[in-house]
Amino acid sequence: MAVNAFIKLVPSSVKQTITIEEVKELFHYYKNITAKTGDQLNWQYGETAFPYEIKETEGSKGKAFYLHSEHERYNAILIGVDKETIKEEDGTEREQQYIQVTLPEQSTHGDKGKANEFCKFLAKKLQGELHLFNDRIMYYYPRK
């Protein structure tokens, strides 16, 4: 069964909206900084740190993409952007955007570990609210 994690962009997040292209840019930035860690250690860490490439299907352009790995320990991670309607305590409604990270049935334990790392990176960078695969919540935004 597929499992999901969500990075929700709450009112005190750095951004209130995000596009799938911006998520792709953050993915490339993440791959770049993990590769630099390997350079500092004089080791080819970039290939192991996050061994995924972006793939897209025709039907999902602009809404989602997936990360595919040729490495034997990894398979795939799906990433999409959507929005939901949130009811406030005062009765008003607002739209809240989120990034959904899905591990399909064929995903491995390695995929789950890498997806958790990437989710934490995204939530910290965007100062969002991270709902992990195990239903726990991590808050990366300033709370009142």
Side-chain angles (χ1 to χ4, degrees):
M1 185 168 90
V3 290
N4 299 302
F6 301 93
I7 299 100
K8 299 185 178 193
L9 301 179
V10 295
S12 56
S13 293
V14 173
K15 302 175 100 175
Q16 297 305 304
T17 61
I18 193 162
T19 65
I20 201 69
E21 294 304 318
E22 290 172 315
V23 176
K24 286 180 190 177
E25 287 172 21
L26 286 168
F27 167 74
H28 290 299
Y29 174 70
Y30 183 71
K31 277 194 68 131
N32 189 21
I33 61 174
T34 54
K36 284 182 180 176
T37 301
D39 292 343
Q40 290 173 344
L41 299 171
N42 197 19
W43 182 49
Q44 293 299 323
Y45 185 64
E47 298 299 316
T48 308
F50 210 72
Y52 296 95
E53 294 299 321
I54 292 177
K55 304 276 183 178
E56 278 188 286
T57 60
E58 284 300 315
S60 67
K61 283 203 187 291
K63 287 288 268 177
F65 63 89
Y66 69 98
L67 303 174
H68 177 72
S69 178
E70 294 294 327
H71 194 281
E72 65 207 29
R73 293 184 56 196
Y74 307 104
N75 191 3
I77 301 170
L78 308 173
I79 299 175
V81 175
D82 205 356
K83 55 187 153 192
E84 63 187 352
T85 303
I86 302 292
K87 252 192 191 244
E88 296 289 342
E89 290 176 11
D90 62 2
T92 60
E93 291 184 352
R94 68 174 171 84
E95 283 206 340
Q96 176 174 279
Q97 203 161 19
Y98 62 88
I99 301 167
Q100 180 174 343
V101 179
T102 303
L103 294 171
E105 278 188 43
Q106 64 269 27
S107 292
T108 66
H109 289 291
D111 289 325
K112 187 173 186 177
K114 296 298 182 184
N116 271 324
E117 287 175 30
F118 189 55
C119 285
K120 288 177 184 178
F121 166 79
L122 287 173
K124 190 173 187 177
K125 195 81 174 152
L126 299 169
Q127 292 184 355
E129 183 178 288
L130 173 58
H131 294 250
L132 292 163
F133 297 107
N134 62 5
D135 295 328
R136 292 194 175 143
I137 301 172
M138 297 178 80
Y139 302 96
Y140 287 93
Y141 59 91
R143 294 173 64 185
K144 297 177 186 178

